[in-house]
Amino acid sequence: MSDAASPLAVALFSELLTADQLVRNRLSRVLPKGMEISHFSVLNHLARAGGERSPAQLAKSFHVTRGAMTNTLSKLEWAGYVHIRPDWDDARRKMVAISPAGRQARDAALSAISPMISEMAEELGEDKLRAILPILRELRLKLEDEG
């Protein structure tokens, strides 16, 4: 990238980081009491994916360490939101599934955040959303490739 484009790249990443922080703050305020964004993210992933996942698979999906995922899963298991069992084929591994209580907690969280998301989407407008999504997706894919 040329020196002239460098401030543009810095401005892009500055906007992304600031937007990320603002979204996280808003989400944290509207999520049900005691639920963290990481908890919702894992529950949402498990609900949408269907079936079980290993902690290692979840850590890879969320681009976090296994230790960080184990910590999140421990909190979710304590709350009764996930079931963790030994892998019957490999006793060294575990498998994680969302529980009925976890599905209810995920649905409650989704109901709580949906108005905020809808409001932001409406304010931006469908044309802008359709224009920015491919760019953000491409940026994410590039970052995943380099990660």
Side-chain angles (χ1 to χ4, degrees):
M1 177 174 277
S2 70
D3 287 342
S6 184
L8 188 60
V10 170
L12 169 67
F13 277 87
S14 178
E15 290 296 333
L16 287 171
L17 292 170
T18 303
D20 174 66
Q21 187 62 45
L22 292 169
V23 167
R24 288 177 175 280
N25 287 341
R26 283 192 179 193
L27 285 176
S28 293
R29 286 195 305 259
V30 298
L31 283 173
K33 185 170 176 54
M35 183 174 286
E36 298 174 19
I37 295 170
S38 60
H39 302 167
F40 169 72
S41 298
V42 171
L43 292 175
N44 194 48
H45 180 83
L46 290 170
R48 289 179 37 219
E52 299 175 309
R53 297 288 184 269
S54 72
Q57 289 171 319
L58 290 168
K60 185 176 180 183
S61 293
F62 287 97
H63 307 283
V64 298
T65 65
R66 289 183 188 194
M69 184 54 65
T70 298
N71 183 43
T72 298
L73 292 173
S74 294
K75 291 176 182 177
L76 290 171
E77 183 179 38
W78 183 85
Y81 294 160
V82 297
H83 297 297
I84 301 176
R85 68 162 182 85
D87 183 339
W88 308 128
D89 297 326
D90 183 349
R92 297 169 296 175
R93 293 188 342 178
K94 295 181 180 192
M95 298 304 290
V96 181
I98 191 168
S99 70
R103 194 168 297 279
Q104 286 178 337
R106 178 262 189 176
D107 291 348
L110 202 52
S111 293
I113 66 174
S114 289
M116 184 200 77
I117 293 171
S118 296
E119 180 184 329
M120 286 285 110
E122 191 174 313
E123 287 178 15
L124 287 172
E126 190 173 329
D127 290 341
K128 286 182 181 177
L129 292 176
R130 287 189 190 282
I132 194 65
L133 274 174
I135 297 165
L136 290 174
R137 189 171 291 122
E138 183 179 350
L139 178 61
R140 177 185 50 83
L141 291 171
K142 286 185 182 301
L143 289 169
E144 284 179 346
D145 287 346
E146 294 172 11

